[in-house]
Amino acid sequence: MVMHRVGLRACAAIGAGCREAVRGLAAIDPTRAAIVRLGAEAAAEFAALPDTPELEADDRAFIVAHRPAANKQPSPAVRQMHRLVERYRDECGIEAAILELTIAEAYARCLADITAHPADEPPKAR
């Protein structure tokens, strides 16, 4: 259940970031529209779960203590978001190395936040 919540949080954040990026544009491409929709669906599913700041801190502590296995399949929503992000990269001609570097940097910042803060202290907003 921890990985499901973490995946929903991630999908919701990606969708919200994409929604912000396209705010005010007259039209957006189908892939970004799908990313925004999937993010909204993840946010709605996540909102239906009982969640508290304490549970989020517990989830972070769990992830630090029990790194997910590399061969573990993520949830369907996370797999779909990954496919959409890859499709967006391909459609926009974004070099894979650049996108992967950006994702790696974001992951490194997230990991630094998780490991730098005790489970009872939320990470700082960016």
Side-chain angles (χ1 to χ4, degrees), residues 6-20:
V6 169
L8 288 176
R9 284 185 190 109
C11 287
I14 291 167
C18 189
R19 185 178 58 248
E20 271 306 306

Side-chain angles (χ1 to χ4, degrees), residues 20-110:
E20 271 306 306
V22 299
R23 187 178 304 275
L25 296 179
I28 63 171
D29 59 272
T31 302
R32 286 195 288 183
I35 290 170
V36 170
R37 273 194 308 276
L38 183 59
E41 290 169 9
E45 183 178 345
F46 187 70
L49 299 175
D51 190 39
T52 63
E54 294 80 19
L55 184 57
E56 185 174 359
D58 288 347
D59 288 352
R60 285 196 319 271
F62 181 87
I63 295 295
V64 168
H66 307 92
R67 295 287 179 211
N71 62 349
K72 180 155 173 47
Q73 279 284 359
S75 72
V78 172
R79 288 193 309 267
Q80 177 65 16
M81 184 62 82
H82 188 266
R83 285 191 297 269
L84 286 168
V85 169
E86 283 183 345
R87 190 168 84 195
Y88 177 68
R89 179 198 70 204
D90 294 342
E91 289 173 354
C92 294
I94 298 170
E95 194 174 320
I98 293 171
L99 183 63
E100 287 170 9
L101 179 61
T102 302
I103 291 170
E105 289 171 347
Y107 177 76
R109 282 194 306 269
C110 180

